[in-house]
């Protein structure tokens, strides 16, 4: 019998504020341990939290982008549990009345179909500190720099049915958070991480018992962790056992999940309204003020690229995965006047070289203006597309502008028809057997002659001119 997977994700996005959610301490990453934690973060007696207005505005911004309900009144609650790196003994979060209510986001499946994923809520909360287990000789160090950092926890409905859908949803939300400026989405620094709730059931049956996989901060790891957890649960059930509701950790080195603790229910946390914080009241004017600052969203940008630049859905999807890539493409497309050529280069050579060097587009050493100059040399037949890739590599390595590299290395295309004819005549004279075979009907040999001619011209012959002349002479 078949099994159906049920997945819901809880994604924690660190908000792009300069200070913490309830104190004036800095949120900058990488400071010396315990240098960015004040009395409020330490939970000292007599201190009072003060809500960061920017955090509220960023939560509203995300809510608008997912077409969600923005609560006119929301309440902060104390979530009581003991963690060694949580000095207050509780976390300030939201429970019954979150700031963002029901919303949704559409993801694209592998077959091209669109699927709508419901979003239950998004609530504001503070992060805990960090336990450090290295270099302490059997002891644990506590760094409270992160304590009180503002988080937006975005909770999906259990609408995903396999790991690939979960990854598509997480990637889409990651891109959205960065587009909006809600957070930097830096997964390596823990600014964007995910807890995956996974269960299995027979198709049409009630939901099965779920396990929560904590703190996944890589798209690759979330897919592997979910797939492993699904296999684990199916093996347990088919062996006559029962899945236990628990929290698990994923070990990427062993590609397995292991039990961390039994999974608590809401009543175990003894939620109650935080007596030190007033309810948050948001007016329609507040919402409209945030809406006025919203950038063009990825889906709208994709549709505009398809309409304005006549791009395919595939090209437009790739180009709008990040706001920075979209801006880079648009500058190149407008500068060279050929959107398809610009899309091919940004999705192709630029993206490939960025991936090979594990870099983001913001750090690309070839500016949009520099790429425009190179593409114009393709357009005016100064270089072929193939030679342009070599020029691009040299530009990437800091060897100069496109024009300077082309001149220095003597890479200009041969467009003189008489020079190309001389090359072709020599090749035809040196290969009478292949010429006879081609003329007898072996059309595939045309590629042989093209290769010989390009070699003889050191790749500089204009491909279109070469092909036209070669075809005429072979058929003549």
């Amino acid at each position: 019998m078949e099994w159906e997977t049920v997945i819901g994700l809880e994604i924690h996005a660190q908000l792009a504020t300069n200070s913490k959610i309830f104190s004036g301490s800095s949120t900058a990453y990488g400071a010396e341990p315990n240098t960015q934690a004040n009395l409020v973060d330490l939970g000292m007696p007599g201190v009072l939290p003060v809500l960061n207005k920017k955090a509220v505005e960023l939560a509203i911004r995300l809510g608008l982008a997912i077409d969600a309900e923005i609560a006119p009144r929301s309440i902060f609650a104390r979530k009581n549990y003991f963690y060694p790196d949580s000095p207050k003994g509780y976390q300030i979060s939201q429970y019954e009345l979150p700031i963002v209510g029901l919303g949704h986001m559409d993801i694209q499946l592998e077959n091209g179909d669109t699927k709508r994923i419901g979003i239950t809520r998004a609530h504001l909360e503070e992060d805990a500190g960090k336990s450090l287990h290295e270099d302490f000789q059997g002891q644990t160090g506590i760094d409270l720099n992160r304590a009180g950092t503002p988080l937006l926890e975005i909770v999906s409905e259990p609408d995903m049915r396999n790991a690939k859908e979960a990854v598509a949803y997480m990637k889409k939300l990651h891109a959205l958070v960065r587009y909006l400026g809600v957070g930097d989405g830096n997964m390596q620094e823990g600014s964007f991480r995910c807890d995956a709730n996974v269960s299995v059931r027979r198709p049409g049956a009630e939901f099965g018992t779920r396990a929560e996989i904590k703190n996944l901060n890589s798209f690759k790891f979330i897919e592997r962790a979910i797939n492993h957890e699904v296999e684990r649960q199916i093996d347990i059930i088919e062996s006559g056992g029962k899945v236990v509701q628990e929290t698990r950790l994923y070990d990427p080195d062993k590609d397995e999940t292991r039990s961390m603790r039994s999974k608590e229910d809401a009543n175990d946390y003894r939620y109650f309204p935080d007596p030190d914080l007033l309810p948050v009241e948001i007016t329609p004017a507040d919402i409209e003020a945030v809406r006025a600052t919203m950038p063009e969203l990825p889906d709208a940008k994709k549709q505009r690229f398809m309409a304005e630049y006549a791009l395919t859905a595939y090209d437009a999807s790739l180009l709008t995965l990040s706001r920075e890539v979209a801006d880079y493409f648009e500058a190149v497309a407008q500068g060279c006047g050929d959107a398809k050529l610009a899309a091919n280069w940004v999705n192709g050579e630029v993206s490939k070289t960025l991936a090979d060097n594990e870099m983001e587009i913001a750090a690309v050493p070839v500016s949009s203006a520099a790429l425009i100059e190179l593409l114009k040399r393709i357009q005016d037949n100064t270089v072929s597309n193939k030679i342009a890739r070599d020029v691009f590599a040299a530009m990437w390595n800091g060897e100069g502008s496109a024009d300077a590299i082309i001149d220095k290395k003597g890479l200009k295309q041969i467009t003189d028809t008489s020079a190309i004819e001389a090359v072709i005549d020599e090749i035809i004279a040196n290969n009478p057997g292949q010429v006879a075979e081609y003329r007898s009907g072996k059309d595939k040999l045309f590629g042989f002659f093209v290769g010989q001619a390009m070699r003889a011209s050191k790749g500089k012959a204009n491909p279109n001119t070469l092909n036209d002349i070669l075809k005429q002479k072979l058929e003549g």
Side-chain angles (χ1 to χ4, degrees), residues 8 62 76 83 168 180 182 267 281 301-302 370 374:
L62 188 281
F76 283 99
Y83 265 15
L180 295 168
V182 166
N267 57 354
E281 295 189 351
K301 194 182 288 287
K302 174 186 172 182
L374 175 60

Side-chain angles (χ1 to χ4, degrees), residues 406-445:
I406 292 167
D407 289 340
K408 180 181 177 181
K409 298 191 175 186
L411 298 175
K412 286 186 180 178
Q413 273 192 135
I414 300 170
T415 54
D416 179 5
T417 55
S418 61
I420 295 174
E421 279 189 32
V423 170
I424 292 173
D425 287 341
E426 184 176 351
I427 289 167
I428 289 175
N430 292 337
N431 296 277
Q434 285 86 349
V435 172
E437 289 184 56
Y438 176 83
R439 289 174 174 168
S440 68
K442 291 190 176 179
D443 293 344
K444 290 183 179 179
L445 278 171

Side-chain angles (χ1 to χ4, degrees), residues 16 25 82 157 182 233 248 290 315 391 394 411 426 439:
S25 296
F82 171 76
E157 292 288 312
V182 166
Q233 292 187 21
R248 300 180 69 84
V290 173
D315 280 342
V391 177
L411 298 175
E426 184 176 351
R439 289 174 174 168

Side-chain angles (χ1 to χ4, degrees), residues 14-31 36-37 41 52 145-151 184 189 191:
Q14 180 176 324
L15 298 177
T17 59
N18 293 324
S19 58
K20 296 184 179 179
I21 188 167
F22 299 117
S23 83
S25 296
S26 172
T27 58
Y29 180 81
Q36 294 180 173
D41 309 321
N52 188 326
N145 281 349
R146 199 172 67 183
T149 296
L151 299 178
D184 64 16
E189 295 178 2
S191 300

Side-chain angles (χ1 to χ4, degrees), residues 414-428 435 438-439 446 449-450 453-454 457 460-476:
I414 300 170
T415 54
D416 179 5
T417 55
S418 61
I420 295 174
E421 279 189 32
V423 170
I424 292 173
D425 287 341
E426 184 176 351
I427 289 167
I428 289 175
V435 172
Y438 176 83
R439 289 174 174 168
F446 188 78
F449 292 106
V450 171
M454 291 304 289
S457 68
K460 296 180 186 178
N462 180 281
N464 294 331
T465 305
L466 185 146
N467 286 350
D468 290 343
I469 295 172
L470 182 59
K471 194 171 188 67
Q472 289 172 9
K473 286 188 173 287
L474 284 173
E475 293 179 355

Side-chain angles (χ1 to χ4, degrees), residues 7-11 62-63 66-71 94-105 116-123 152-160 169 173 197 207:
I7 303 165
L9 299 184
E10 300 169 11
I11 291 176
L62 188 281
I66 60 172
D67 196 24
E69 303 166 0
I70 308 298
Q94 293 185 309
Y95 179 49
E96 292 176 322
L97 295 174
I99 191 167
V100 176
L102 290 173
H104 60 83
M105 194 168 63
R116 176 155 291 185
I117 306 298
I119 294 176
T120 312
R121 56 189 279 147
H123 60 264
L152 189 64
E153 181 173 345
I154 306 151
V155 183
S156 82
E157 292 288 312
D159 288 346
M160 288 154 276
Y169 168 80
L173 190 55
N197 292 287
F207 287 148

Side-chain angles (χ1 to χ4, degrees), residues 1-4 6 161 199-208:
M1 293 178 65
E2 291 185 358
W3 291 95
E4 182 179 57
V6 178
R161 292 296 175 264
S199 65
V200 297
R201 66 177 179 180
R202 299 295 186 189
E206 295 291 319
F207 287 148

